[in-house]
Amino acid sequence: MIKWIEHLNNTVLHRHGTRLIGGFTEPFYQAAAAGSLAEVQFTRDYERSALHELGHWCIAGKQRRLKNDYGYWYVPDGRSDEQQRLFYTVETKPQAVEKYFCTALELTFEVSADNLGNYSRADMDAFSGRVDEQYRTYLAAGFPVRASAIFDCLRQWHAANRAGRDQRL
C-alpha cells in the first residue's frame, strides 16, 4: 500500500467527502451515493496512477464530481488519431497537476499518452510541451485550491517521513 494515502484520505479528501483507493484494473471516479464517500479509484498500487487520478479530481468542478468518471468519455487503447488528439487536449491540465504532486513527493514525472503504441514521438513531444507550459502557468497564477491543499499535505507527509528515515540512518 502507498503509505501517504491514509494520511491524505484522513485530512484533505475526507473534508471533501472523498477517498482515494487503489487495487483496480482501470482507474475510475465513483461519484458519492447517499451516505457514502466518492471514490477516486486508481490502478493497482501504482503511485503515479494515484497522483494522476487526483489530478483529474482537482480539475473537475462540483457538477462533474456528481457524475461517475466526471461524466467524461473514455476510449481505451486503440484510439483513432482524432481520439488521441482529443485525449491530449483534456489531459493537459490533469497531467500538469500530477507533475505538481510528483514534486511534493520528489518523484520523477513523465507525461502519459495512455494509448500504447498508437502515437508519434512528435505528438508526445508537443503534448509534453503543453503540459510543461500549463504547469508553468499554474506556478505563476496558482494551482486549483484542492490541488494546493493536496500538494501541501503530500509535501508535509514526505518531509516528515524523510526526516524520520534520515534519523534512522
Side-chain angles (χ1 to χ4, degrees):
M1 175 168 172
I2 301 169
K3 296 179 180 178
W4 50 261
I5 289 177
E6 184 177 353
H7 178 67
L8 184 64
N9 279 337
N10 291 333
T11 55
V12 177
L13 296 178
H14 182 75
R15 291 192 307 256
H16 294 278
T18 303
R19 71 180 180 149
L20 178 64
I21 184 170
F24 297 87
T25 56
E26 292 289 333
F28 187 77
Y29 173 74
Q30 179 68 53
S36 69
L37 298 175
E39 290 185 353
V40 177
Q41 301 172 355
F42 65 95
T43 305
R44 294 175 186 79
D45 199 16
Y46 299 155
E47 195 165 30
R48 287 284 310 282
S49 176
L51 297 175
H52 180 84
E53 296 311 314
L54 283 171
H56 281 288
W57 182 79
C58 290
I59 298 300
K62 186 175 183 175
Q63 292 304 311
R64 288 277 184 193
R65 292 191 314 273
L66 296 175
K67 301 174 183 181
N68 287 340
D69 243 4
Y70 313 108
Y72 288 120
W73 63 271
Y74 178 76
V75 177
D77 284 352
R79 292 184 204 114
S80 69
D81 291 342
E82 181 59 32
Q83 289 168 327
Q84 190 64 24
R85 278 190 289 281
L86 183 56
F87 170 88
Y88 289 140
T89 300
V90 301
E91 281 288 316
T92 301
K93 287 182 179 181
Q95 290 200 31
V97 172
E98 177 188 353
K99 181 175 182 174
Y100 184 50
F101 296 157
C102 283
T103 65
L105 295 170
E106 298 181 20
L107 297 174
T108 302
F109 172 80
E110 294 179 25
V111 295
S112 171
D114 194 35
N115 196 24
L116 304 175
N118 192 23
Y119 57 85
S120 73
R121 178 81 296 195
D123 286 346
M124 278 299 287
D125 290 345
F127 176 56
S128 182
R130 287 193 302 275
V131 170
D132 287 343
E133 182 180 331
Q134 181 63 58
Y135 178 77
R136 288 188 300 274
T137 298
Y138 278 145
L139 283 174
F143 280 84
V145 173
R146 286 177 284 128
S148 294
I150 289 172
F151 175 88
D152 290 343
C153 180
L154 294 174
R155 185 181 60 196
Q156 290 166 1
W157 181 90
H158 185 66
N161 284 276
R162 185 179 56 223
R165 283 190 307 270
D166 292 346
Q167 289 176 358
R168 289 188 297 270
L169 295 177

